Amino acid sequence: MAKTETKILFILFLVFLLESLGSAQKNIIEEENLSEFEGFDDIYDEDEDELFELWKHGRGNKVLVNVDSFGAAGDGTSDDTKAFEDAWKQACSKRRSVFLVPPGRTYLVNATKFNGPCDNGLIIQVEGTIVAPSEPENWDPKSTKAWLVFNNLTGVTFQGNGIIDGSGSKWWAASCKKNKSNPCKSAPRALTIDSSSGIRVKGLTFQNSQQMHFVISRSDSVRVTGVKISSPGDSPNTDGIHISESTNIVLQDCKIGTGDDCVSIVNASSNIKMKKIYCGPGHGISIGSLGKDDSIGIVNRVVLDTAFLKGTTNGLRIKTWQGGSGYVRTVRFQNVQMEDVSNPIIIDQFYCDSQKPCQNQTSAVEISEVLYRNVTGTTKSQKAMKFACSDTVPCSHITLDNVNLEARDGTAEVYCNSATGIIAGYVHPEAECLNSNDKKIEEHNVHDEL
C-alpha cells in the first residue's frame, strides 16, 4: 500500500513539473515575442457610439449639403462630377457639415480629388450609389491610378449604407494577368484616403473596383468598421483594403471577397490591428509584398485577432522580394479559422509576381517575431505551413502555439528553409523543422502570384 501511494505521489509530482515547465515555456514565448505589444490593444478602446448614423437619427445641428442641390442628376448616366465638386467646396468650408449622397439614386462620377483641410466635424454620408465610368479609354491619363481621392483631412467620418462601384469589368479584361499578350498597366483605385488623420469609415460597401478597392495611404489613426468589399475571385489586383505608409489603423467587422489580397499591408506601416475579419474569395491576409526593385520595406506591430478565411489561395502570408532590405517584426495572428485554404500559413522571401523569372539575390527583408496562435482549419495544399526564408537573412523567432491544420486530401506537411522558432501547445502537422532548422532545396523562381 505504501509503495502504491509513493508511486501516485511521484506521478502527481511529474504532472506538476511538466505543467510548470509548459507554463514557463509559454511565459518565455510571451516575453520574447509579445513584449512589444504591451498597451497596444488599449489604444483602440474607443466608444463607437460616437459614430452615430445621421440618416436614421436626423441631422441635429449639422449643416446638410446634398449633392442633388448642386445639380446632380443621380440617374447613373449623366456626369455628376461637377455637382460633387461644388457640394464638396461648400461642405468642406462650413463647420459641422454633412456631405450627403442621397439613397435610391446612382451618381456617375469621374476621377476626382476632394482636398482638405476642412472645417471641424465633417461627415460624408453615402446612402446612394457612386459609380465610375466603365470605359478605360475615357479616363484622363493623369488620373489612371485613382478614382475618388480624399486628401489632407482631419477628424472626418465616412459612413452610410451606400455603395461605391468601380465598374471594373473592362479594366480586368484588359489586364496582363487576364491576357498575357497585353502590356501590364495600372488601373484606378476606387477610394483613397491620403495624408489624413483621425478618420472613421463605417458601413460602406465597395464593389467591382478597377484595381484596389480601398487604400489608406500616408495616414494616421484610421478606424474602419462594418465595411463590405466584393469583386469576382478572378478579378486581377483587386485588393480589398490596402495599407501603405500608415500608422494606428484598425479594421474591424469587415467582410471582404476579392480577386487579390483581402488585406495587404506594405512599407512604412505600423500599429495595425485587424479584428473579426471575414476573407474569401481572395489571396488571404498579407504583409507585403515588400522589397521589390531592391527597395527598403518595413512593417512593424501587426495584430490579426479573430478571422475566418474560406476558399482563399493563401491564408496568413508574409511576402518579400529577393534583393530588398528592411524588416517585418512583431506580428501576431491569433484565433483564425480556415476552410479549404491553400497555403494556410506562408512566409515567402522569394516572392516573384513577374512574367519573367526573378534573379537570385542574397539580400532580403528580415522577418522575425511572428506568432501564430489558435489557428485551425483545413488546407487544400499539401504544405499546410511553409517558411521559405533566405539563407543569408533567415527568419527567426517564429512561434507556433496551438495550430491544427488538416488536409482534405492526403497528408499535410510543413516546409522550412532557414527558419527557426518555438513550438508550443498542440501543433499539427508537426513542425520540428523550425526547431532543427532543416533545409530542403527547392526551385524558388516558381513562387509567383497565385
Side-chain angles (χ1 to χ4, degrees), residues 52-62:
F52 65 91
E53 294 186 22
L54 174 84
W55 190 255
K56 290 183 180 179
H57 299 294
R59 69 181 185 178
N61 60 348
K62 300 288 185 179

Side-chain angles (χ1 to χ4, degrees), residues 193 214-219 222 224 241-244 246 249:
I193 294 174
F214 180 20
V215 176
I216 301 169
S217 173
R218 297 181 292 187
S219 295
V222 179
V224 180
I241 300 175
H242 181 76
I243 301 168
S244 173
S246 296
I249 309 299

Side-chain angles (χ1 to χ4, degrees), residues 165-187:
D165 189 332
S167 302
S169 59
K170 291 186 178 179
W171 293 90
W172 308 332
S175 168
C176 62
K177 290 187 176 180
K178 283 275 193 176
N179 186 341
K180 295 189 181 298
S181 64
N182 289 343
C184 293
K185 295 181 179 180
S186 296

Side-chain angles (χ1 to χ4, degrees), residues 244-436:
S244 173
E245 299 179 71
S246 296
T247 56
N248 300 318
I249 309 299
V250 177
L251 312 179
Q252 187 168 348
D253 295 304
C254 296
K255 186 174 182 179
I256 305 170
T258 71
D260 209 298
D261 296 324
C262 290
V263 179
S264 51
I265 304 167
V266 298
N267 186 35
S269 295
S270 64
N271 284 19
I272 313 297
K273 184 175 182 182
M274 300 168 280
K275 190 167 186 177
K276 296 180 182 175
I277 306 296
Y278 177 93
C279 172
H283 293 179
I285 295 171
S286 296
I287 296 175
S289 63
L290 301 170
K292 187 178 182 180
D293 298 327
D294 302 339
S295 62
I296 299 172
I298 295 175
V299 172
N300 188 34
R301 294 165 59 86
V302 175
V303 173
L304 171 67
D305 183 357
T306 310
F308 179 66
L309 288 78
K310 182 176 181 179
T312 55
T313 54
N314 296 285
L316 311 173
R317 177 164 63 157
I318 301 174
K319 50 180 177 175
T320 67
W321 295 73
Q322 295 184 75
S325 59
Y327 60 84
V328 175
R329 197 176 290 163
T330 318
V331 177
R332 183 170 74 200
F333 299 111
Q334 67 182 29
N335 304 320
V336 180
Q337 183 180 354
M338 303 193 192
E339 182 179 325
D340 290 334
V341 170
S342 301
N343 307 307
I345 291 175
I346 178 169
I347 295 177
D348 186 2
Q349 285 184 298
F350 304 94
Y351 180 75
C352 179
D353 182 15
S354 172
Q355 291 181 314
K356 298 179 181 179
C358 296
Q359 297 296 316
N360 288 331
Q361 299 189 60
T362 56
S363 59
V365 177
E366 180 187 4
I367 299 171
S368 64
E369 299 174 28
V370 183
L371 169 66
Y372 303 89
R373 171 175 287 164
N374 300 332
V375 179
T376 62
T378 55
T379 172
K380 289 196 297 185
S381 58
Q382 189 177 29
K383 290 185 174 66
M385 290 178 268
K386 189 171 185 177
F387 305 100
C389 301
S390 164
D391 291 339
T392 53
V393 188
C395 302
S396 64
H397 296 87
I398 309 300
T399 300
L400 302 176
D401 183 8
N402 292 326
V403 175
N404 185 14
L405 296 167
E406 298 283 352
R408 285 285 189 181
D409 301 305
T411 303
E413 297 178 353
V414 178
Y415 168 84
C416 301
N417 184 81
S418 297
T420 57
I422 298 171
I423 298 170
Y426 178 78
V427 174
H428 174 81
E430 292 184 358
E432 292 302 321
C433 59
L434 273 182
N435 285 326
S436 62

Side-chain angles (χ1 to χ4, degrees), residues 17-37:
L17 181 62
L18 289 171
E19 287 181 349
S20 299
L21 289 172
S23 177
Q25 184 189 37
K26 197 131 183 172
N27 288 338
I28 291 171
I29 293 170
E30 295 286 351
E31 290 174 5
E32 285 189 351
N33 285 358
L34 301 182
S35 60
E36 290 196 30
F37 283 112

Side-chain angles (χ1 to χ4, degrees), residues 34-45 271 301:
L34 301 182
S35 60
E36 290 196 30
F37 283 112
E38 291 179 4
F40 183 35
D41 293 347
D42 297 338
I43 63 175
Y44 301 109
D45 292 335
N271 284 19
R301 294 165 59 86

